[in-house]
Structures are given as C-alpha cells and as structure tokens.
Amino acid sequence: MRLVHLDLKGAAPRVSYLEQVFPLLSQLGANGILIEYEDMFPFKGELEILKSPYAYSEEDVERIQQLAELHKLEVVPLVQTFGHVEFILKHKKYQHLREVERFPNSFNPHIPDTLALLKSILSQVIDKHRRSTWIHIGADEVFHLGEGMDSKNWMSHNRGDTGTMYLKHIKEVLAFITTQYRGLRALMWDDMLRKISVGALRGKKVGTEMVAPELGVLAVLIRVATLAMWFASAFKGTTGPAQTWPPLSYHLKNHLSWLKVMQALPQLAPLHFQGIILTGWQRYDHYSVLCELLPVGIPSLAICLQTLVNGGFTEETKRKVLDALGFQSMQLEQSTCEGRGTFPGAEVYHMVEQVNGHLKESILKALEEESAIKGWFSTYHRKHQFGNPRNMESFGSKVLKLHEDWESFVHDLRTHLERVYFPDTVEEWMEENINPYLDQLRDLVRDYR
C-alpha cells in the first residue's frame, strides 16, 4: 500500500480541489490516502465544539470517500488518541484532561473521562468511514507524559514507568476498536515505542501495526507481535515549521533510503512489507504556522511516488513525472521545475515560487538601496510629513510601479488560492508570507502620496 497523507490541521483543501487531485494521485502510483481530519471533521452533539468554522460537512466526507473509491484509493482516517490533541485540549471544556495543566499537547491517561471522550471521537469518525478497513490512532510525540501528578502517583504505586503507562493507554484504545469494530485494523506511529526497552515490549502484544519513520527501528519491531512492516516517508512538511518550498533532492533521498530497506526485508523473514505512508505535514502542530502548501508539494510527491513505483529514480522515472505534471524539465538540487505545468494547482505553485524568489528581495532593494528614499524620504521625513518634491519625484514613479505590479500579482494569487482553500487559509498564508514585506511598500506609497 502507498498512502498519501493529507494533514488537515492546516490548509485543508476544498473538496472541489481534491476532486482534481485524486485522479493524479492514482496515476502517480498511490492506492490510498491517510486523512488526518483534526478539526475539519463534522463532529456532532457534545463534540461540535471541536469543529473548525470551515469544517467539512457530512456530505463532504462522503463525497471524499466516493472520489477515493472512484480512483481506487483506500481511505484511512487518522484520529490522534494520546499526543497532538491541542485542538481538543485548548477548549476550556476539556482542559481538565491535560497531562500537564498548562500544556494542551497530551491527554492524561488516568482520568476515565479521557477514554470516554476518545471512544466518542473514534465512534463518530469510524461510523462515517464504514468502507475503511484501517484506522490510524496517531499516538506519536506524547510530550510531557509522566510529568503530571496523576502519572507520578500511578508510576509510584504500580512500580511502572512512562513506557508501561503509554502501552496501558494504547491497549485500552485498541481494545475499544477491536471489540466495537471487528475486522478494523489499527495503525500507529512508532516513535514512542522506540523509547521503550525491548524487554518491556517483549510479550506485550499491542495488537496494532506500527509505522516506522526512521531506519533504526527494525530490531524493536522484530520483537513485537506483528509481521507486517509499515514505513513512513515524507514528501513535504519535515524541513522546518515555516518552510514554504519543499527541497526536492532531500525528499527524493529519503525515498531512495527506504527502497534500500524494502529490498533488505526478504532477509528478515517472516517480516514482510505491508505499506508506506508518504507524510505531508501541513503544520508541525495545531498552533504552528503553515508549512508547504499541497499544490507546492505536488512535484515532490510525484517524484517520491514514482520513485517507489519504479524502484528508483531513473531518467525514465523523471520523464514520467514531467509528463504527468506537464513540465519540461526539473532541477533537483535547485528544487525547481520548468514549464507551465498542467497539474491541479500549478498556478499556485508558480506564484508561490515568485513570492519566494522575488517579493522580499525586490521590495527591500527598493526601500534599502534607493539613495533618494534614504536621503530625502526617511522615517523622520515621513513621520513629520515634509520633503522636497524635486527629490521625491526622482524615485516616485519607480516605487509606484513596483507597488502596482505586486498588488496586481497578489490579487491574482489570492484568486487562485481561493479556488483551492477556505478563506482562513488564504488569509493566514497572506499574513505570513506576503504582508510582512508588501505592507512596508504600501506604507511608503501611502506616505508618498
């Protein structure tokens, strides 16, 4: 299985965009999607508080599954069940379920309400995904586990440690899934398990399959009661919380490394390779800024998927990627693709490239290097509203033209972003990536006029 991760805790695409993207994913070699809904799921009843104002409707969730089925993509929903639950624990209603009171990251596993809430969340998500044969329970990066008073008391009374406490909670979550939804198979990330000794894991049949995002985990997984190996790579979202452009060669090398591991697996029988998840994080957590947008990450995703399908990145693989995306050429080390591009969101790809490469540079050059501005239109002149018209006219037309060009460009960019994303995403991306630079130019033009 080759699952493409859609991380919806930021920049969730409109369903109309997914309608265009799913055929491409299938064409490139994906046969499943891992959907991390977070606050985009249409929670009902007592859980309605968890919904984003732009959350998908029940009809949207059904439509996504129909589209996936049409393009032979298996849908695997992801529900975080231990860490990365800021979207839940930020609410006052659920604040008492925090492991550490001042941090909204992780659940306190000792309060009965925690498991009751998780059962409710899991039930709503699973009930809307009856076609799915897999559920992913997250369970990664449970920050501050063991630091809460309840955990300290539990460890002292049970002679346990954070590892046994972690496994106890996971087994309770899995017990609910296996008894309520027979035949549904569970996946989880493996990073927390890597911190638990092999001795502690031996004999602990967790009853799930782990996804290993790093190479140094085979020794642990061999001793866990699962024979099916899953891996996790990344096509975007791992090189910095504020990264806006994916480094192509970095992500390609990641997949070439995984191919080597896959090729070595036959020597480790009875282990066999079950699948790989190509992660594409959209935020590092609920509170962080947006990283690379999905349309910007599609060339990287195409390279990574085709590398897996073809068992390497050859000239033929490269040609298939270029043909699928409508590009003429690519420069891996420069992380650029040349040509118009015919894939969904190609306009956004090119325009974000312009923002990255030219917006900041062109504006700072005009403001910092124009001697007439520095000499006759300084912050002091602007504050006290005086200046010599003769000198001001020497830079005025150039600055006005630069401002007009960028405003026109940004208007077009906003139009293209709005076809893919909801208003909150468009606003946030503009605030983070456009306004810090364009606002300086806007202020100068306002004062000049």
Side-chain angles (χ1 to χ4, degrees), residues 299 315 317-332 336-343 346 349-350:
E315 280 301 315
T317 309
K318 186 175 177 180
R319 176 46 50 200
K320 285 179 180 175
V321 170
L322 292 172
D323 289 346
L325 301 180
F327 284 134
Q328 272 74 57
S329 62
M330 67 173 72
Q331 309 299 326
L332 288 175
T336 56
C337 297
E338 290 79 34
R340 183 166 162 267
T342 54
F343 64 92
Y349 173 87
H350 286 303

Side-chain angles (χ1 to χ4, degrees), residues 11-248:
R14 294 179 184 272
V15 177
S16 55
Y17 182 68
L18 295 178
E19 198 169 338
Q20 301 169 59
V21 169
F22 282 8
L24 178 64
L25 298 186
S26 188
Q27 179 192 346
L28 290 169
N31 51 23
I33 47 171
L34 177 71
I35 306 183
E36 186 167 354
Y37 284 104
E38 211 191 60
D39 61 0
M40 285 301 292
F41 186 79
F43 291 108
K44 293 192 301 187
E46 291 220 342
L47 301 181
E48 199 167 342
I49 192 175
L50 304 180
K51 279 189 345 186
S52 156
Y54 297 97
Y56 294 144
S57 65
E58 290 184 27
E59 292 74 25
D60 289 335
V61 171
E62 178 58 28
R63 178 68 180 142
I64 289 169
Q65 291 176 89
Q66 287 172 355
L67 290 167
E69 202 168 21
L70 183 65
H71 299 289
K72 298 181 171 53
L73 298 167
E74 175 142 3
V75 175
V76 179
L78 188 156
V79 176
Q80 285 286 6
T81 56
F82 213 160
H84 281 296
V85 284
E86 296 92 344
F87 82 103
I88 300 169
L89 299 183
K90 71 179 183 181
H91 295 286
K92 194 171 183 183
K93 180 179 180 179
Y94 299 117
Q95 199 171 333
H96 68 290
L97 301 181
R98 295 176 179 184
E99 168 69 356
V100 175
E101 189 183 350
R102 70 181 186 280
F103 299 139
N105 304 68
S106 307
F107 278 125
N108 177 340
H110 310 288
I111 301 176
D113 285 358
T114 293
L115 193 60
L117 175 63
L118 283 172
K119 286 177 179 179
S120 182
I121 291 171
L122 283 163
S123 296
Q124 288 201 18
V125 174
I126 294 170
D127 288 344
K128 286 281 176 281
H129 291 83
R130 287 302 195 169
R131 302 176 185 82
S132 297
T133 56
W134 298 87
I135 177 82
H136 196 306
I137 61 165
D140 60 316
E141 295 185 337
V142 187
F143 298 131
H144 310 292
L145 181 62
E147 293 177 20
M149 195 51 66
D150 287 347
S151 288
K152 287 175 180 174
N153 289 338
W154 186 91
M155 286 188 288
S156 90
H157 288 121
N158 294 276
R159 296 181 184 173
D161 56 19
T162 54
T164 53
M165 199 161 59
Y166 176 83
L167 287 173
K168 178 178 177 292
H169 176 73
I170 293 304
K171 287 177 77 174
E172 286 171 346
V173 170
L174 292 169
F176 167 73
I177 292 169
T178 52
T179 53
Q180 293 296 312
Y181 303 96
R182 294 197 180 280
L184 187 63
R185 289 174 288 179
L187 284 163
M188 63 185 282
W189 305 122
D190 84 315
D191 59 297
M192 294 298 293
L193 291 161
R194 270 183 271 139
K195 299 172 185 174
I196 303 171
S197 71
V198 171
L201 282 171
R202 189 178 280 119
K204 297 263 187 190
K205 186 170 181 184
V206 180
T208 183
E209 299 188 26
M210 278 137 295
V211 185
E214 289 180 14
L215 300 183
V217 296
L218 294 180
V220 172
L221 290 178
I222 288 167
R223 291 167 175 82
V224 178
T226 175
L227 300 176
M229 289 289 294
W230 280 81
F231 302 134
S233 59
F235 70 92
K236 76 177 186 74
T238 56
T239 53
Q243 183 82 7
T244 53
W245 199 256
L248 295 182

Side-chain angles (χ1 to χ4, degrees), residues 418-435:
E418 284 170 350
R419 288 175 188 157
V420 178
Y421 294 113
F422 298 101
D424 59 335
T425 298
V426 178
E427 215 49 58
E428 181 180 349
W429 200 87
M430 291 289 189
E431 285 280 353
E432 291 288 340
N433 299 285
I434 301 285
N435 295 351

Side-chain angles (χ1 to χ4, degrees), residues 15 71 94 256 283 292 306 333 345 365 399 442:
V15 177
H71 299 289
Y94 299 117
L256 292 172
R283 295 190 199 278
E292 307 101 309
Q306 280 291 293
E333 292 307 321
K365 189 175 179 183
V399 166
R442 287 166 174 155

